[in-house]
Amino acid sequence: LEEVVKHPERRVCELPLLDEAERRQVVEEWNATGADYPAKATIHGLFEAQAARTPEAVALEYEGEELSYGELDARANQVARYLVRHGVGPETMVGLCVERGVEMVVATLGILKAGGAYVPLDPEYPASRLAFMLGDTAAPVLLTQAKLRGRLPECSGRVVCLDADWAEIAREERGAPEVKVGARNLAYVIYTSGSTGTPKGTCIEHRSVVRLVKNTNYVDMGPTDRIAQASGVSFDAATFEIWGALLNGARVVGVSRDVALSSREFAEFVRVRGITVMFLTTALFNQMVREAPGAFRTLRYVLFGGEAVDAGAVRAVLRDGPPQRLLHVYGPTEVTTFSSWHPVSELDEAASTVPIGRPIANTRVYVLDARMQPVPVGVPGELYAGGDGLAREYLHQPELTAEKFVPDPFDATPGARLYRTGDLVRWLPGGDIEFLGRIDQQVKL
């Protein structure tokens, strides 16, 4: 009403619904997430520092095969030198089509050490999709395994089998190559389905990954942790699993696809292997709650997210034996895995959902109307996300990039942008965000 009197010439839709104190709360106070972290470091640089501190500590454990930090560093260096010798350098995209295991992590780290960016290719994808991704990235090198070679489409780049060609790679020196790479260089390109059905490559820089796992506010991982790696490398949850472990001195413990899809086997695996940190998609979380009650009680952290919550499953976990911390997390690939989090310690019997919470460290989230103006607490709006986790672009899709990554009206930093998630949400009175649905008619399977 004050604004009507001040500006009677304005259209009703242009009148703000927030006074200054309310606007400051939703724009600034609830987004005060700045925290010190190694923002100028690279993923492999932080790993190398960790390997130098604890070379004998176990870094990887996959189905009985173990690799120490020192040995992982040395093998990755050999891969890196081999790649550099074949033309890989900063901003070069390298295809990676391997099964979960030690070779996958060695190759991923080797690509980064060469200055390149890895492009995960799921061997289960149809050949036409793999061909599109290889063509879109123009990858000069594709790293794979001999048993997968027959599934792959023809590509213009060099195909290297990490197992069959290892004798040649192993002739390289075990020291790191001298390659100049910075925090704003490309680290990986992950393809998401895209609403049109054409895959789109989301380009993520080193800084975004470092912000996800170092000195953050939602988890605290260290050398005593064993982090389950249950996601395929083409799913961005693997970013949290692998680099969350290796940049904090923890152990990556691989979970085979068959075990991950059998709740009772997975629960036994967690117990026997001493897993302390685990991320699950909401669907897998719900399945484990139904079929393996009490499976999470020995863990320090269980993170779940990716789709609408089943409040009944959450209540069952809290009743049957919760982990030390149960976290509901949210985040599109375009903001590097997680954007917000909510610790769940209790849930009212009448509650039908669980909030997606508040932004993680060095991340900002806003609930805006169609004119990109902040809406009051309780009013639905579209969720926009920004901060150091924001993707650079969609590869070779400038129009789509401009449509989805828009100028940030709340940040004076030159070039600051926000990602339009397309998700309908609202602020709750305490500062948490609640997911309501999509703003369009998109159906996700």
Side-chain angles (χ1 to χ4, degrees):
L1 292 176
E2 289 172 357
E3 291 296 323
V4 168
V5 174
K6 285 181 189 177
H7 305 284
E9 76 286 356
R10 284 191 178 179
R11 295 170 62 87
V12 172
C13 66
E14 295 172 347
L15 296 171
L17 296 175
L18 300 169
D19 62 30
E20 275 307 309
E22 291 172 320
R23 181 183 176 88
R24 186 166 57 251
Q25 182 181 61
V26 299
V27 171
E28 299 175 18
E29 294 172 9
W30 287 347
N31 276 303
T33 63
D36 288 334
Y37 77 107
K40 295 183 178 180
T42 60
I43 297 168
H44 57 281
L46 290 170
F47 170 80
E48 288 167 357
Q50 181 63 50
R53 288 192 297 269
T54 59
E56 302 302 321
V58 176
L60 308 176
E61 177 186 319
Y62 281 87
E63 298 188 32
E65 185 178 3
E66 292 185 355
L67 216 58
S68 69
Y69 271 84
E71 184 62 23
L72 171 58
D73 191 42
R75 289 196 197 179
N77 286 338
Q78 291 175 310
V79 171
R81 286 180 175 275
Y82 182 86
L83 292 174
V84 169
R85 199 155 53 79
H86 289 93
V88 174
E91 302 290 311
T92 304
M93 286 169 272
V94 178
L96 179 64
C97 187
V98 295
E99 293 182 341
R100 252 174 269 183
V102 166
E103 287 177 339
M104 177 191 75
V105 183
V106 169
T108 304
L109 187 55
I111 293 168
L112 296 178
K113 283 172 170 280
Y118 58 93
V119 183
L121 304 167
D122 191 323
E124 299 297 323
Y125 283 165
S128 59
R129 182 180 174 96
L130 294 174
F132 172 85
M133 294 159 70
L134 287 168
D136 196 41
T137 56
V141 180
L142 169 61
L143 298 180
T144 186
Q145 294 160 315
K147 58 186 171 185
L148 302 178
R149 184 68 183 88
R151 300 188 203 174
L152 299 175
E154 290 299 317
C155 67
S156 57
R158 173 185 291 270
V159 179
V160 179
C161 293
L162 291 162
D163 43 8
D165 297 328
W166 183 255
E168 182 182 353
I169 298 170
R171 287 199 287 267
E172 301 287 345
E173 294 181 20
R174 291 165 68 88
E178 292 187 12
V179 180
K180 289 187 177 180
V181 182
R184 302 307 302 270
N185 277 113
L186 201 59
Y188 65 77
V189 179
I190 280 187
Y191 279 79
T192 59
S193 58
S195 304
T196 63
T198 302
K200 57 184 187 293
T202 306
C203 301
I204 304 294
E205 299 171 344
H206 284 257
R207 182 182 72 164
S208 297
V209 177
V210 174
R211 144 266 182 206
L212 176 70
V213 299
K214 293 296 289 184
N215 302 343
T216 188
N217 58 352
Y218 66 103
V219 289
D220 181 17
M221 297 175 285
T224 60
D225 281 308
R226 293 167 171 249
I227 300 175
Q229 202 273 294
S231 305
V233 71
S234 59
F235 178 40
D236 69 341
T239 303
F240 167 79
E241 295 169 337
I242 295 171
W243 305 122
L246 296 181
L247 302 194
N248 290 294
R251 179 185 302 203
V252 180
V253 182
V255 184
S256 72
R257 180 182 175 87
D258 290 342
V259 169
L261 294 178
S262 171
S263 297
R264 291 182 178 84
E265 287 185 42
F266 200 171
E268 179 67 7
F269 181 94
V270 166
R271 186 186 65 80
V272 171
R273 298 294 183 186
I275 301 299
T276 61
V277 181
M278 181 168 64
F279 168 81
L280 296 169
T281 61
T282 299
L284 199 52
F285 173 85
N286 294 343
Q287 180 178 311
M288 286 197 71
V289 172
R290 287 194 306 270
E291 299 178 2
F296 304 138
R297 60 168 60 106
T298 61
L299 284 87
R300 291 183 62 230
Y301 290 99
V302 171
L303 300 85
F304 71 103
E307 59 194 278
V309 174
D310 177 352
V314 175
R315 277 190 287 268
V317 171
L318 297 176
R319 182 182 64 245
D320 297 337
Q324 290 181 30
R325 299 202 78 189
L326 179 63
L327 307 181
H328 184 216
V329 291
Y330 162 89
T333 300
E334 290 84 350
V335 197
T336 313
T337 309
F338 302 146
S339 305
S340 67
W341 67 293
H342 178 74
V344 188
S345 56
E346 58 182 6
L347 189 62
D348 188 274
E349 284 298 323
S352 59
T353 187
V354 175
I356 58 174
R358 300 171 180 246
I360 72 169
N362 300 298
T363 301
R364 301 184 307 278
V365 295
Y366 304 96
V367 184
L368 309 178
D369 64 18
R371 294 170 45 251
M372 287 191 69
Q373 293 299 309
V375 298
V377 170
V379 175
E382 183 176 359
L383 181 61
Y384 287 68
D388 290 357
L390 203 62
R392 179 191 294 180
E393 63 184 351
Y394 290 128
L395 187 65
H396 306 318
Q397 298 200 47
E399 292 183 0
L400 185 61
T401 298
E403 176 189 339
K404 294 296 186 180
F405 295 87
V406 297
D408 184 347
F410 312 108
D411 189 344
T413 305
R417 300 170 303 151
L418 295 173
Y419 172 67
R420 299 187 59 175
T421 67
D423 288 327
L424 190 69
V425 300
R426 65 179 177 183
W427 287 111
L428 298 177
D432 285 318
I433 289 176
E434 182 180 71
F435 175 82
L436 300 174
R438 292 289 299 175
I439 64 169
D440 55 20
Q441 298 303 308
Q442 183 184 95
V443 176
K444 292 192 176 186
L445 301 181

